[in-house]
Amino acid sequence: MSAVLSEAEAMARALELASRGPRHGVNPQVGCVLLSPAGEVLAEGWHRGAGTPHAEVDALSALTDPALAAGATAVVTLEPCNHQGRTGPCSIALIEAGVARVVFAIADPGVRSAGGAERMRAAGVDVQQGLLAEAAEEFIRPWLTSVRLHRPFVTVKWASSLDGRAAAADGTSQWITGPEARADVHRRRAEADAIVVGTGTVLADDPALTARDPDADGALFPHQPAPVVIGTRAVPSGSRLREHPLPLRHYATHELADVLDALYADEVRSVFVEGGPTLASAFLAAGLADEVLVYLAPTLLGGPRTALTELGVGTIEAQRRLTITDLSRLGDDIRLVARPRPGAWAPTKE
């Protein structure tokens, strides 16, 4: 006999299923559980990436008998889509399958993809929104932020000593943190659509901007973030960036909002800023950082090479407050994840 779940338990399971899909890319992670009228699990599905069946269709295709969908309940982490993209509308697929009830956590904020709930209700499907909404919001926060703001979700990362230095006085910085922290950085790079640095970092460090798997002797992860350089100086022809698996995108400008607009138009939904103190501070000062990722090493360096430069804070009343969302130990180092407090640092759109 199949497991019997409440709708809340099924939503928790759907979120677990969603986590199996890729965090990178233009599509969100979505999971779906199909329940019989008695609450038995009929099938499960999740989205495996762009161009593959969406979670609802994946679950429908996993049914041992398509007729079982008639009268069933679909529990989905995100409102079923209502548009024809690389795949067809999930709202129509559920209607045509005979699903009687759809429970989803959060509404789809996409201009083209929203409207599935309305279409299903018009077809006589019982539709309910909001189950485990807070958990689902947090789970796909980067994608939701990107779609709502029409720009990529921005993570600003740096590594520093306890006294806030990103390098020694002579500019050397390899390595402030230990291998566990560096491995974590590479795993997070592999979850981003793009990795961003400034021309100053390119000229000083000649970075590769690849994501390497520490569990595979440093081999490249299957997914690589696209290398992005911001700044008016030229990238040398012999730069290691020229050997990256993906084409280099060089924006000869200092207008960060314009760069983010261009990246969003090119289906980039998340960027990982690793460009050194100048670029990190520029994103923060402009209110364009959605998340701060800091690796703190138990060492002291002193000197002028601070992790951040000018943020436009002239008085203590203007300090930029954040909320810490994660604090973990990685070897000898500390990983800290924080986000701007609601209403603070908000970027403006003309």
Side-chain angles (χ1 to χ4, degrees), residues 12 30 47 55 62 77 89 99 104 119 126 131 148-149 156 194 214 229 236 242 247 252 255 257 263 279 301 310 334:
V30 180
H47 185 52
T77 57
V99 168
F104 65 89
R119 171 174 276 186
D126 178 18
L131 183 62
R148 288 166 178 166
L149 296 179
V156 176
V229 175
R242 304 290 187 185
E255 298 297 329
L263 290 173
L279 191 63
L301 294 174
E310 181 57 50
I334 297 294

Side-chain angles (χ1 to χ4, degrees), residues 192-207:
D193 292 335
I195 183 167
V196 180
V197 297
T199 51
T201 294
V202 173
L203 296 173
D205 299 338
D206 190 24

